[in-house]
Amino acid sequence: MTLACANPVRKSIILDFMTDLDRFFSEVRALVDGELDMLLPSSDVEPTRLYEAIRWSVFGEGKRFRPALVFAAGREFGAPDDELLHTSAAVEMIHTYSLIHDDLPAMDDDDLRRGRSTAHKKFDEATAILAGDALQAMAFETIAGDESLAVELRLRLVAELSVAAGQMVAGQQLDLEAEGKALDVSDIEHIHRGKTGALIRFAVRAGGMIAGANKTEFETLTQFGEKLGLLFQITDDILDVTSTSEELGKTAGKDSASQKATYPEVLGLSRSKELVRDVEADTLAILANLDRDTTILADVCRYVSSRTN
Ligand code: GRG
């Protein structure tokens, strides 16, 4: 993770929490990538082209943000790592499937993802579609077959993830239909609550479910996941305007090229950055309602907003 921040005081505060957070993200990456490597068929299994495309897409430069949320919420509520692994790998599979399909010519038609060629460019369109389909199926198989969890909990996680994946698809449809239309902030929020927010909310809730958070804690975690998803989307929209393709590992400026209504487009850049500060404060305030050590979740939230400094 790289940081660019003009304000020296804020920069030193950011650097303090980034050291621990960097360690946390690296640890999660090693755990989840190891698990994904075991779960995904090797690229010499037939049909090799399908599994090559899946591995190509999964093992690019992704941040593993959603797996990190499963771990952050799960650990802070006392779940052991081995109970979090399968679900965090599963949410990354769903996320990667959505990126592969989002990049297809029928959708965003993009060439660059996770710092490398998109699946349909590197392989071909049919293989990319099937790689996404297979990843989606494997995600549910991964949770259903997780022997570290009670069968009833697996069923609840599968049900939650299928709802979230459906909400993501509905959000994507709304987003495509909205291209070129004048939207206001509440329309944008509605689209992104599904498209981006649903999986982020799932990841936080899944950590709490596996750890056995009580009803009140679970409701607070849900509110946190909801706001964090919003924060993630506003910063993603800002980064699309302010970063280069090299920094993002995906094509920058894509939102405006495809006439998408975004926060900077509707509010302007400076008001969007103020909104990041406001939503960050709201998100952290929700966490403060939990009678737990929520350091990692708070740091993850600060990390999301620091990306636009
Ligand atoms: C095609 C069903 C379907 C859904 C697509 C994920 C998505 C929904 C579209 C991607 C387009 C986009 C830019 C969405 C906004 C935020 C977002 C989800 C960014 C990508 O997530 P990151 O930044 O990516 O966590 P990495 O590669 O780091 O995992």
Side-chain angles (χ1 to χ4, degrees):
M1 287 181 296
T2 50
L3 273 176
C5 177
N7 177 333
V9 176
R10 187 167 166 82
K11 187 170 184 173
S12 93
I13 296 168
I14 291 169
L15 284 175
D16 274 353
F17 86 78
M18 289 307 280
T19 348
D20 285 346
L21 196 63
D22 272 339
R23 221 174 292 123
F24 169 71
F25 268 107
S26 308
E27 204 185 329
V28 170
R29 165 174 291 282
L31 286 168
V32 174
D33 283 11
E35 190 66 16
L36 285 164
D37 193 32
M38 280 197 294
L39 291 166
L40 298 172
S42 125
S43 45
D44 54 18
V45 170
E46 286 291 342
T48 55
R49 193 172 176 81
L50 176 67
Y51 298 122
E52 269 173 44
I54 287 176
R55 285 177 167 269
W56 174 263
S57 305
V58 169
F59 293 117
E61 287 170 9
K63 292 181 286 299
R64 306 295 187 244
F65 180 65
R66 294 146 194 83
L69 289 175
V70 177
F71 271 88
R75 280 182 179 177
E76 293 195 337
F77 281 80
D81 283 1
D82 61 325
E83 294 184 9
L84 301 167
L85 260 178
H86 274 66
T87 301
S88 60
V91 72
E92 187 64 19
M93 288 179 193
I94 296 279
H95 172 57
T96 307
Y97 124 68
S98 80
L99 298 178
I100 297 172
H101 282 193
D102 183 66
D103 291 332
L104 288 168
M107 297 205 207
D108 261 13
D109 193 9
D110 227 317
D111 297 352
L112 184 67
R113 174 66 68 182
R114 294 183 158 174
R116 40 168 77 172
S117 298
T118 48
H120 68 276
K121 282 283 169 189
K122 171 79 180 167
F123 299 89
D124 56 78
E125 215 175 313
T127 303
I129 293 170
L130 293 171
D133 292 342
L135 273 169
Q136 173 158 218
M138 280 189 248
F140 294 109
E141 183 187 345
T142 295
I143 298 180
D146 181 357
E147 290 181 359
S148 73
L149 303 179
V151 172
E152 200 253 349
L153 178 55
R154 293 185 221 170
L155 184 62
R156 280 171 56 215
L157 288 164
V158 164
E160 284 257 344
L161 184 56
S162 49
V163 170
Q167 289 169 335
M168 176 183 74
V169 170
Q172 175 78 349
Q173 176 72 25
L174 289 175
D175 196 38
L176 292 170
E177 287 175 6
E179 279 176 17
K181 293 194 184 140
L183 302 189
D184 61 22
V185 169
S186 74
D187 299 324
I188 301 181
E189 233 182 274
H190 176 61
I191 292 172
H192 295 306
R193 189 168 293 124
K195 181 182 154 186
T196 312
L199 276 194
I200 291 179
R201 193 169 53 238
F202 166 79
V204 174
R205 281 165 64 92
M209 277 167 76
I210 294 169
N214 69 34
K215 192 164 176 283
T216 318
E217 290 170 332
F218 194 60
E219 276 162 16
T220 307
L221 272 180
T222 304
Q223 288 168 18
F224 170 79
E226 187 90 28
K227 277 274 181 230
L228 187 69
L230 176 63
L231 186 64
F232 189 89
Q233 184 62 50
I234 306 168
T235 57
D236 197 78
D237 280 4
I238 294 175
L239 289 170
D240 185 71
V241 179
T242 58
S243 304
T244 63
S245 301
E246 202 184 13
E247 285 163 336
L248 294 179
K250 62 182 181 179
T251 314
K254 194 75 197 196
D255 292 340
S256 116
S258 49
Q259 293 187 292
K260 280 199 198 299
T262 63
Y263 286 92
E265 186 72 32
V266 172
L267 296 175
L269 195 52
S270 122
R271 178 69 196 104
S272 300
K273 288 187 173 183
E274 276 169 38
L275 188 61
V276 167
R277 297 272 156 266
D278 294 346
V279 177
E280 178 191 6
D282 293 348
T283 315
L284 292 172
I286 294 170
L287 269 191
N289 295 323
L290 287 168
D291 194 14
R292 294 267 181 172
D293 175 2
T294 52
T295 312
I296 311 176
L297 286 172
D299 284 353
V300 169
C301 168
R302 291 193 196 96
Y303 153 70
V304 172
S305 50
S306 75
R307 297 180 70 215
T308 60
N309 284 318

